[in-house]
Amino acid sequence: MTGTRQQLHNIGRRRAYAIWATALAVYVLAVFHRTSLGVAGLLAAERFDISASQLATFTVLQLAVYAAMQIPVGVLLDRFGSKALIVTGLVAMTIGQLWFSVADSFAFALAARALLGAGDAMLFTSILRLIALWFLVRQAPVVTQLTGMIGQMGAVAAAIPLSAALHTWGWTMTYATAAFLGVIATAAILLVVKDSPYEKGAVERIKIRALRHSLTEVWRDPGTRLGMSVHFATQFAPTVFALLWGYPFLVSGQGLTPTQASALLTWMTIVALFVGPTIGRLTAIHPYWRSMMALGVVGSISLVWAIVLALPVRSPLWLLIVLVSVTAFGGPGSMIAFDLARSFHRSERYGRASGVVNMGGFIASLTTMALIGYVLDRMAPGGPETYTLDDFRVAMSSQFLMWGFGAWMIWRYRRHSLRRVARVPGAFEALRDGSTLLPGISRDRDED
């Protein structure tokens, strides 16, 4: 337990913020790399001579690798600590982006994006572990929200500035320059970041033969399943919309111009940036209601989508703005999942727990992307040029399956989690009062 180790540095103060700011800059870079193909789709199709389906494979493969890496990354994180994983992730992303800059075939470019996804997978949960160790309980939810939301500024940088660079410098120079940013970030991590404010021992030494048992214990904890359910239900809608199907839906389905559609996607990022700290503050003050807040986010998003898809004609612009704005709540809402994981697990197991939680949203995102694509292929076998509003109305309705399943899981595991909390003397009352987030590392560190 954290309370049995000697504390070497103050938490929640200047050193903590310096470490977090450095790691946050890395996360912004990771999001930039992750979304850097968004404005280069047409150039990529021309450079590699590929179809629209092959172009979509870049995004799907990258997310699939990201999701598949979460449990291995969680294990490695608990074994080696955040600093080692962040540096490894940066090296992988730098090599992947540099490889992508010189790739001249679809196969090589696809391998480069897979390596990029693997490096990206190592960063977010590593940063969450730094937050869990370096900040007080009352600070951590807001800092977590700020991490997720400020990180999305990387997506903004991957839009207009990257587009301008591509047209000015060309493909190879632009992506090679982006890769070089990883070298600078790696140097900053090595100089500034420290794994823990406590003496050595914060990293659990996991033996291979005990790994299966350890993961089983993490999975059986209802707090892990509750966190994964929250991430599953909240994260996929903005991810699917921003990375793949939002732009075609707005242009081909709703009749917006490409400029209007791009502006709405940018607006989604801006809304999430402002909503995040508010949700973080609410989760810190009212920990008992965290999963209910997530259900409120899911209900709001699904309600607005139901209204838009039920209209027999194209939606007015104001309603599409509302749709994009409410859908953006899913990003900050998904951060609640990691706060739940932090509450139910000691720091020695936080990496594994966060990895499992993080898989939830990306499994939902990949499944939803595939469902929408499958339905569109059946509705409009002629390809993207033949998509209509009716096609999108049916295809986008597949999201309701995921929202319904996710909401049911949240409700189910909320009850299981509360029963576990009730077994700890005084824990349930403290949780209702908002004085602590137990029963994981939070209780020990709240008393520091």
Side-chain angles (χ1 to χ4, degrees):
M1 295 287 288
T2 305
T4 63
R5 298 192 301 268
Q6 182 182 357
Q7 183 173 323
L8 304 178
H9 304 284
N10 290 327
I11 58 177
R13 298 188 181 178
R14 280 192 302 177
R15 180 187 289 268
Y17 281 102
I19 290 172
W20 172 66
T22 305
L24 177 60
V26 171
Y27 183 54
V28 172
L29 179 62
V31 174
F32 172 84
H33 286 323
R34 184 191 307 167
T35 57
S36 61
L37 194 60
V39 297
L42 295 178
L43 289 175
E46 179 182 347
R47 179 181 178 88
F48 304 119
D49 190 23
I50 56 178
S51 66
S53 297
Q54 289 174 307
L55 181 62
T57 304
F58 281 125
T59 300
V60 173
L61 176 64
Q62 193 171 327
L63 289 181
V65 170
Y66 185 103
M69 287 284 292
Q70 287 309 299
I71 290 181
V73 165
V75 173
L76 293 172
L77 179 57
D78 289 333
R79 173 65 175 82
F80 296 104
S82 296
K83 186 171 184 175
L85 266 290
I86 292 175
V87 170
T88 303
L90 277 169
V91 170
M93 286 197 305
T94 300
I95 295 173
Q97 196 72 295
L98 186 62
W99 188 2
F100 192 64
S101 72
V102 298
D104 57 1
S105 70
F106 176 61
F108 278 105
L110 205 59
R113 297 305 288 187
L115 182 58
L116 195 67
D120 186 10
M122 300 181 191
L123 299 180
F124 186 60
T125 52
S126 297
I127 296 169
L128 291 180
R129 191 175 192 273
L130 288 174
I131 294 171
L133 286 167
W134 279 97
F135 287 90
L136 298 169
V137 169
R138 62 179 179 271
Q139 296 172 318
V142 176
V143 176
T144 298
Q145 286 287 349
L146 287 173
T147 301
M149 295 309 103
I150 296 176
Q152 296 310 306
M153 296 307 295
V156 176
I160 297 176
L162 184 65
S163 178
L166 283 166
H167 286 90
T168 303
W169 296 343
W171 181 279
T172 299
M173 179 60 71
T174 297
Y175 280 106
T177 301
F180 178 72
L181 295 175
V183 178
I184 301 174
T186 301
I189 292 294
L190 291 173
L191 288 172
V192 177
V193 171
K194 182 178 175 60
D195 275 317
S196 172
Y198 302 95
E199 65 181 347
K200 287 188 177 181
V203 178
E204 186 176 2
R205 304 299 180 182
I206 307 169
K207 296 180 179 180
I208 298 299
R209 62 177 178 270
L211 179 57
R212 181 178 178 181
H213 175 70
S214 170
L215 289 173
T216 299
E217 284 189 339
V218 169
W219 171 246
R220 284 178 176 173
D221 192 298
T224 303
R225 299 191 189 191
L226 177 59
M228 185 178 185
S229 301
V230 167
H231 204 253
F232 181 100
T234 55
Q235 192 253 15
F236 77 86
T239 299
V240 170
F241 196 86
L243 293 187
L244 191 57
W245 291 118
Y247 187 88
F249 171 75
L250 293 173
V251 175
S252 300
Q254 295 293 337
L256 298 187
T257 66
T259 301
Q260 289 174 316
S262 298
L264 284 182
L265 291 176
T266 302
W267 174 247
M268 176 183 286
T269 302
I270 295 173
V271 171
L273 182 63
F274 282 96
V275 169
T278 301
I279 291 181
R281 182 60 178 164
L282 288 173
T283 57
I285 297 174
H286 306 290
Y288 179 81
W289 299 105
R290 287 173 293 179
S291 52
M292 298 303 293
M293 293 178 199
L295 283 175
V297 170
V298 173
S300 300
I301 297 174
S302 57
L303 176 61
V304 177
W305 270 101
I307 294 172
V308 170
L309 296 179
L311 291 179
V313 296
R314 289 173 171 172
S315 301
L317 181 59
W318 67 265
L319 182 56
L320 293 177
I321 294 174
V322 172
L323 174 71
V324 170
S325 300
V326 175
T327 301
F329 280 48
S334 70
M335 295 296 103
I336 297 173
F338 299 104
D339 197 54
L340 288 163
R342 184 176 56 84
S343 297
F344 282 83
H345 291 280
R346 304 189 308 272
S347 60
E348 293 89 343
R349 294 183 177 178
Y350 186 66
R352 279 159 287 173
S354 295
V356 173
V357 167
N358 207 21
M359 285 180 63
F362 287 96
I363 290 173
S365 296
L366 288 169
T367 304
T368 307
M369 287 178 184
L371 279 174
I372 293 173
Y374 176 83
V375 174
L376 284 174
D377 284 343
R378 296 299 177 272
M379 297 289 294
E385 294 79 9
T386 64
Y387 291 162
T388 66
L389 177 58
D390 287 337
D391 298 332
F392 274 108
R393 185 178 290 117
V394 176
M396 301 304 276
S397 294
S398 61
Q399 295 178 104
F400 291 99
L401 296 174
M402 311 303 288
W403 283 317
F405 181 62
W408 172 76
M409 288 197 302
I410 292 174
W411 184 258
R412 178 186 180 188
Y413 290 118
R414 171 181 168 81
R415 291 187 291 110
H416 291 183
S417 299
L418 288 176
R419 282 200 293 268
R420 180 195 159 175
V421 171
R423 292 197 295 266
V424 179
F428 190 85
E429 293 76 13
L431 190 67
R432 289 295 298 263
D433 292 340
S435 58
T436 186
L437 299 184
L438 32 111
I441 63 169
S442 302
R443 193 177 189 186
D444 298 316
R445 298 179 63 247
D446 199 34
E447 298 168 358
D448 288 335

